[in-house]
Amino acid sequence: MLKSFLDNARPRLAPAPASLAIFLFAAVPALAGGYMSGSTHSFLDTIIEWIGLADMDDEAVDVFGAALLAFAVFFGYFSNMAMKEHGFGTVLNGLVGAAGICVVLHFALPRLPLLRDVSEEMRFSLGLIVAAAGAPVFLLVASLFKKVATRRVNRVLIHVGTPTRPQPIRREPEFDPRVAAAVRKKT
């Protein structure tokens, strides 16, 4: 029941996530001026600060945003080909993958300097590997939650609108034919 609703609603709502993603990743400077002075990427600046890379210059922020957007596009396309109906679609798969990268970097970057016998290049490579692994793991966890939620909703919706079970037909007890005829006469 829910699946048929989602199938009918998907073509109408398909441009919404893409337009939201484009708006969030490429916010105009007029909107960004209210968030941070001189910033042209209000949403991206907030993400970078949350990740822990607040000391990045504007050029590095532009490169990071472009790389994240390019990764989201390619990851969304290829993960949609792999997961089909188990995923969220091309655009949402890409956004969930980009969110997975940000979440993994938020938790992994503070721990990378703890590796004392490793060079800076090795730490950077480990950061990239961990970030790249975070996207599919985050997508798989999100699709698992989607599957569980869909099953629960379908279990509830399957009972909506169905008629109640018919009650069994009441029959007369098996009596001697003379006793049954006497009971019928009295009623």
Side-chain angles (χ1 to χ4, degrees), residues 101-181:
I101 287 176
C102 293
V103 168
V104 166
L105 284 177
H106 173 73
F107 291 111
L109 282 182
R111 287 162 180 77
L112 285 178
L114 298 176
L115 302 172
R116 297 186 192 276
D117 297 335
V118 177
S119 67
E120 274 304 308
E121 292 84 14
M122 185 63 144
R123 284 188 193 130
F124 179 75
S125 298
L126 285 173
L128 283 179
I129 291 169
V130 168
V137 169
F138 203 69
L139 180 62
L140 289 175
V141 168
S143 67
L144 178 68
F145 281 129
K146 173 192 157 195
K147 189 172 191 170
V148 168
T150 304
R151 281 187 180 173
R152 287 188 179 182
V153 168
N154 281 339
R155 278 190 205 142
V156 170
L157 290 180
I158 201 163
H159 299 295
V160 174
T162 57
T164 58
R165 283 186 157 182
Q167 298 297 325
I169 300 172
R170 300 189 89 192
R171 295 186 171 178
E172 294 179 2
E174 298 293 327
F175 290 124
D176 186 51
R178 289 179 283 160
V179 174

Side-chain angles (χ1 to χ4, degrees), residues 71-88:
F71 176 82
V73 168
F74 285 108
F75 181 76
Y77 177 73
F78 289 114
S79 64
N80 187 40
M81 285 176 47
M83 294 183 74
K84 306 230 189 268
E85 70 273 353
H86 299 292
F88 297 98

